[in-house]
Amino acid sequence: MTGSEGSPSFRLAYVPGVTPAKWVRIWNERLPDVPLTLVAVPAAEASDVLRGGDADAGFVRLPVDRTFFSAIPLYTETTVVMVPKDHLVTAAEEVSVEDLADEVVFHPLDDVFDWERPPGQPAVERPATTEDAVELVAAGVGLLVVPQSLARLHHRRDLTYRTVVDAPQSSVVLSWPEEATTDLVEDFIGIVRGRTVNSTRGRTQPAAQPQPKGKRPEAAGTRRKPAAGKPARGGGAKRGKPRRRS
């Protein structure tokens, strides 16, 4: 978001599991006079934060409303199941949805997957948050399927996780209101896409300067005049020594 004309600023929202540190570092190196403020938001509230103008852009999870937002795909996460360290699931490096069929699998209200219900047996109640569900997993009540970054975010010594090879996956994108694509948003897009500091792609280009009157640009292919004292190539007949008369 841009403040007063003399003091621009940029607000970047991000959802749990996303680590924006490397992009923030590059921003601070390239635009040291424009402060970047991080805004941590729950995944379910990210769209409302961007719509309301409380952030200029955000790292959010799909899906997003493409009639209102622009989005640049960043990466798709591995899906894992969180389990107690002594659970039978830990005997394998990877599991399938079918392997979880007889397990109680929690479906928190802030679940980030686009599915009606997770695999396995439903719990009596849905936990309010992923963090609450993790506490229940640690208590040995059931399991939890999440993107890998959330498993790392909620790491506990008594829990571990295994990849679920055929579960839905969560994709992270950079998103912003399409009608609010400001120069600062373009600057951040350039950073995310790995453009160099000298790249002007995506920014408004300055108008071409008119040529001064009386000066014409040198036409391509115009021959240069030979330097003084040097004959031009093919510029005349060769002179030889005068022949003696017999």
Side-chain angles (χ1 to χ4, degrees):
M1 184 179 297
T2 302
S4 63
E5 187 174 345
S7 57
S9 61
F10 190 75
R11 286 187 176 184
L12 178 66
Y14 68 102
V15 298
V18 176
T19 306
K22 70 174 183 179
W23 292 296
V24 174
R25 175 180 55 78
I26 297 173
W27 176 279
N28 290 334
E29 291 172 353
R30 295 188 183 180
L31 294 95
D33 297 330
V34 182
L36 186 152
T37 302
L38 289 174
V39 182
V41 296
E45 299 176 15
S47 293
D48 291 339
V49 167
L50 293 173
R51 285 180 186 273
D54 294 319
D56 299 287
F59 291 121
V60 304
R61 297 183 183 276
L62 291 179
V64 298
D65 180 2
R66 295 305 293 265
T67 65
F68 186 85
F69 295 106
S70 292
I72 298 175
L74 299 178
Y75 54 87
T76 298
E77 290 198 64
T78 299
T79 300
V80 302
V81 57
M82 296 186 70
V83 300
K85 281 192 172 181
D86 59 354
H87 196 278
L88 290 175
V89 165
T90 61
E93 292 298 320
E94 296 178 339
V95 299
S96 67
V97 167
E98 187 177 353
D99 294 328
L100 306 177
D102 296 329
E103 303 286 347
V104 172
V105 179
F106 296 112
H107 189 197
L109 295 176
D110 63 352
D111 183 44
V112 299
F113 293 118
D114 189 20
W115 56 12
E116 291 185 7
R117 52 162 290 181
Q121 303 299 315
V124 176
E125 294 183 2
R126 295 183 62 181
T129 66
T130 296
E131 185 175 5
D132 292 338
V134 171
E135 293 290 337
L136 293 172
V137 174
V141 182
L143 311 182
L144 177 64
V145 177
V146 291
Q148 188 174 23
S149 67
L150 290 183
R152 290 173 174 169
L153 177 66
H154 296 291
H155 170 73
R156 291 175 54 117
R157 291 184 177 181
D158 53 349
L159 298 182
T160 186
Y161 57 83
R162 292 292 185 268
T163 300
V164 185
V165 293
D166 54 351
Q169 295 177 306
S170 176
S171 295
V172 175
V173 300
L174 174 65
S175 184
W176 68 96
E178 186 172 358
E179 293 185 357
T181 309
T182 64
D183 280 350
L184 291 180
V185 170
E186 289 286 5
D187 285 328
F188 195 77
I189 292 171
I191 289 172
V192 169
R193 284 183 164 166
R195 297 177 193 156
T196 64
V197 67
N198 295 322
S199 174
T200 56
R201 185 178 174 189
R203 294 295 300 267
T204 304
Q205 301 299 310
Q209 297 297 320
Q211 291 289 336
K213 291 183 179 181
K215 291 186 177 181
R216 298 178 61 186
E218 185 177 355
T222 303
R223 293 185 177 180
R224 284 177 149 184
K225 293 182 180 181
K230 294 184 179 180
R233 294 182 180 177
K238 294 182 180 179
R239 293 185 180 181
K241 294 182 179 180
R243 297 177 62 185
R244 289 185 178 180
R245 293 184 180 178
S246 51

